[in-house]
């Protein structure tokens, strides 16, 4: 069952890259709100969750939305956290507790080190890598 993690409706946008590769972006969270940012990027080779933020609102609604992800963890090849705070750490924890692999940018080289530091402190991290090495590591993982 797929459910909306935001109060609005999910929206999908499809496009093709210059080489003809199809890519679809699905906006899952933060629909009509500023919390719970979550976007799903799909290609023929990988499914990447971009951000995995906490929904913040009424206690009961927040607890329900933050307890799970809106899709099976096994269908996610990578999670990319783009924020500067710690709200994505919760979603990364959901992924790793269900068998996902966590890779984070080395906080020593990060422009905003609070996100990778939060992940390192709260989640079992499998790889801490330089930004220049993260893309290749993700590609190796999904192939």
């Amino acid at each position: 069952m797929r459910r909306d993690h935001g109060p609005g409706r999910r929206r999908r946008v499809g496009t093709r890259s210059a080489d003809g590769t199809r890519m679809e972006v699905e906006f899952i969270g933060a629909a009509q709100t500023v919390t719970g940012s979550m976007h799903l990027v799909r290609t023929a080779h990988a499914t990447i969750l971009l951000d995995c933020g906490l929904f913040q609102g009424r206690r009961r609604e927040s607890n329900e939305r933050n307890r799970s992800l809106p899709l099976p963890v096994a269908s996610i090849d990578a999670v990319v956290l783009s924020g500067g705070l710690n709200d994505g750490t919760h979603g990364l924890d959901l992924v790793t507790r269900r068998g996902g692999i966590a890779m984070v940018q080395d906080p020593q080289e990060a422009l905003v080190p609070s996100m990778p530091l939060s992940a390192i402190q709260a989640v079992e991290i499998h790889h801490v890598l330089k930004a220049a090495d993260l893309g290749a590591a993700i590609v190796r993982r999904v192939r």
Side-chain angles (χ1 to χ4, degrees):
M1 174 176 82
R2 296 175 67 162
R3 60 187 171 85
D4 188 354
H5 257 44
R9 283 184 256 153
R10 290 165 71 155
R11 181 172 175 223
R12 290 184 185 178
V13 177
T15 188
R16 290 195 184 274
S17 67
D19 69 357
T21 303
R22 179 152 173 69
M23 178 174 74
E24 181 181 277
V25 179
E26 184 174 354
F27 301 89
I28 300 172
Q32 300 176 351
T33 183
V34 295
T35 66
S37 178
M38 192 177 307
H39 316 286
L40 195 61
V41 180
R42 290 186 182 102
T43 71
H45 304 289
T47 299
I48 299 171
L49 190 59
L50 174 59
D51 288 326
C52 205
L54 283 171
F55 174 79
Q56 299 170 26
R58 292 187 178 100
R59 183 173 294 176
R60 179 177 282 165
E61 184 181 13
S62 294
N63 287 340
E64 173 62 30
R65 288 186 183 192
N66 293 328
R67 188 180 344 224
S68 64
L69 293 174
L71 65 161
V73 170
S75 70
I76 302 170
D77 296 304
V79 178
V80 176
L81 303 178
S82 67
L85 299 173
N86 66 354
D87 68 331
T89 301
H90 173 75
L92 185 60
D93 183 50
L94 290 173
V95 170
T96 58
R97 281 191 284 136
R98 289 168 177 81
I101 301 296
M103 298 181 215
V104 299
Q105 181 182 7
D106 184 342
Q108 302 256 339
E109 70 160 22
L111 181 62
V112 181
S114 57
M115 178 65 83
L117 283 172
S118 173
I120 290 167
Q121 292 167 356
V123 178
E124 179 187 349
I125 301 299
H126 301 89
H127 305 283
V128 177
L129 302 167
K130 294 193 177 299
D133 299 328
L134 276 169
I138 292 170
V139 168
R140 282 192 303 274
R141 180 80 185 146
V142 300
R143 285 194 174 166

